[in-house]
Amino acid sequence: MISDPLVLEGEVVKLLPLTREHIPALLEIAFNHPDYFQYTSTPTHEHYVEPYFNKAFSTKDKGEAYPFVIIYKPTGQIVGTTRYADIIWNYRNLEL
């Protein structure tokens, strides 16, 4: 399992573990710019919000993924999300 909280930080962005408190800021981005996300699974309609985030948190709980929120360090603003996905512990493998 990944030690929680895992924080990854570079010069420009910081990745923090995704929490439910981050959802409103993420939805504001997605709902205001749906064209940016037309080829992704990002929810751009209220109907898809709960299933999307429930899956993110349930796969984290199972050790299958680790979702992050992306913070733009110069402003402290949430700018997106990413995750370690499809974690296969036996092979020490995951997708970004």
Side-chain angles (χ1 to χ4, degrees), residues 34-62:
D35 292 347
Y36 295 177
F37 304 102
Q38 64 183 346
Y39 300 112
T40 72
S41 61
T42 301
T44 56
H45 185 277
E46 193 69 38
H47 177 77
Y48 301 108
V49 171
E50 274 304 308
Y52 178 86
F53 286 103
N54 285 344
K55 181 178 180 182
F57 294 119
S58 70
T59 55
K60 180 182 179 186
D61 291 343
K62 294 176 193 173

Side-chain angles (χ1 to χ4, degrees), residues 3 5 12 16 19 31 34 52 59 63 65 69-70 76 82-84 88 91:
S3 297
V12 179
L16 300 174
T19 68
F31 289 178
Y52 178 86
T59 55
V69 66
I70 304 168
T82 190
R83 71 185 71 200
Y84 289 159
I88 304 172
Y91 296 107

Side-chain angles (χ1 to χ4, degrees), residues 66-77:
Y66 197 95
F68 297 96
V69 66
I70 304 168
I71 308 293
Y72 182 58
K73 288 174 58 174
T75 64
Q77 184 177 14

Side-chain angles (χ1 to χ4, degrees), residues 24-34 36-37 78-80:
L26 293 168
L27 292 180
E28 183 177 344
I29 296 166
F31 289 178
N32 288 333
H33 305 283
Y36 295 177
F37 304 102
I78 292 174
V79 295

